[in-house]
Amino acid sequence: MNRTSRWPLLIFLFLLAACGSGTPAGSVAALSPTPTPTPGITPTPTIPTVAARLVHFMTSDHVRLAGLLYGRGKTAIICSHELFTTKAIWRDSGMPQRLAQLGYLALAYDFRGYGDSLGVSDLSVLDVDLRAAVGFARQQGATKIVLMGSSMGGSASLKVAATEPVTALITLSAPQQWSPFPLSDSDVQAISAPKLFVNSEYDDYADQTTHMYTIATEPKQLRMYPGVAHGTAIFGTENGASLIQLLLNFIARYAPAS
């Protein structure tokens, strides 16, 4: 073989060696470090058995409200219920029991005219009832207040958080433009506490949830679950465990038990 004919062979062998020493496709991704998950609270698979105490307190316009008080602690989570329901929806969700087990004081109460509360239902004064619940929690020694409301209870929580010094706020499927109890953009923007907005993607108020999240100030968080489940009904879906984890971690982050 002469010198001229050897060149194509040498070039071929060089290219073959270079290809053999290359990194296989996908190996870069395999070597990339996996982010370490943020540690959080792991909820128990079943609702813990925690005794509740029936309590009563008065509103500023002299209506006697009733609630169930769970646990003890300096950080109180006040749970406000949906339309046509009672405080029982929170008991059934297991959230007050889980919070009490973690060292929180949890209060699930009835709006006037609902459940064990006296008076006639008046949806225009939801915030008056919630403010009474906040005052009662402070009387029990709470120094930090977290408002957690579902549907109309979420709207009431937003309204109160706009003017009350609360530690954190959670809403589930809360409407903003709801004729008995409308909220303005300025109400939402006035809330300085950390905010968690939760809803289902096809809930009637999904667009209002994302709008409030968009205009709200930091810190804020949004979680939209698949489906149509409204408010506390999300606890009963395949996303229930995820929701429980989300709520517990949010509360622990911004309002640790004390």
Side-chain angles (χ1 to χ4, degrees), residues 73-107:
K74 295 292 186 181
T75 303
I77 290 78
I78 300 180
C79 308
S80 301
H81 65 81
E82 303 170 16
L83 184 67
F84 305 131
T85 68
T86 70
K87 59 185 177 300
I89 64 169
W90 289 108
R91 178 202 62 205
D92 296 344
S93 76
M95 282 303 298
Q97 300 93 311
R98 295 180 190 280
L99 290 164
Q101 188 180 56
L102 294 170
Y104 291 93
L105 180 70
L107 172 63

Side-chain angles (χ1 to χ4, degrees), residues 81-240:
H81 65 81
E82 303 170 16
L83 184 67
F84 305 131
T85 68
T86 70
K87 59 185 177 300
I89 64 169
W90 289 108
R91 178 202 62 205
D92 296 344
S93 76
M95 282 303 298
Q97 300 93 311
R98 295 180 190 280
L99 290 164
Q101 188 180 56
L102 294 170
Y104 291 93
L105 180 70
L107 172 63
Y109 70 99
D110 292 319
F111 286 109
R112 67 182 67 194
Y114 286 87
D116 296 316
S117 289
L118 301 181
V120 177
S121 175
D122 185 348
L123 304 182
S124 69
V125 293
L126 296 173
D127 56 323
V128 174
D129 294 354
L130 177 49
R131 291 179 201 279
V134 171
F136 175 78
R138 295 195 188 281
Q139 291 172 4
Q140 307 312 301
T143 56
K144 290 183 286 187
I145 300 291
V146 177
L147 302 182
M148 181 164 63
S150 182
S151 195
M152 75 174 188
S155 301
S157 299
L158 287 158
K159 189 73 170 182
V160 171
T163 56
E164 290 274 348
V166 301
T167 305
L169 168 71
I170 299 169
T171 69
L172 279 65
S173 306
Q176 181 186 6
Q177 300 303 323
W178 185 52
S179 56
F181 194 80
L183 297 165
S184 66
D185 283 359
S186 60
D187 287 327
V188 177
Q189 293 168 331
I191 304 169
S192 59
K195 296 157 284 289
L196 171 59
F197 298 91
V198 178
N199 207 344
S200 295
E201 292 175 347
Y202 299 105
D203 180 81
D204 289 344
Y205 302 120
D207 289 345
Q208 295 185 35
T209 297
T210 55
H211 171 74
M212 288 190 289
Y213 167 77
T214 300
I215 65 171
T217 60
E218 295 285 355
K220 60 183 178 180
Q221 187 174 344
L222 173 69
R223 178 65 63 87
M224 301 295 288
Y225 286 103
V228 299
H230 181 75
T232 57
I234 302 173
F235 288 107
T237 70
E238 65 275 13
N239 300 306

Side-chain angles (χ1 to χ4, degrees), residues 12-37:
F12 172 77
L13 293 173
F14 175 79
L15 292 173
L16 181 64
C19 292
S21 63
T23 303
S27 63
V28 173
L31 295 175
S32 299
T34 301
T36 303

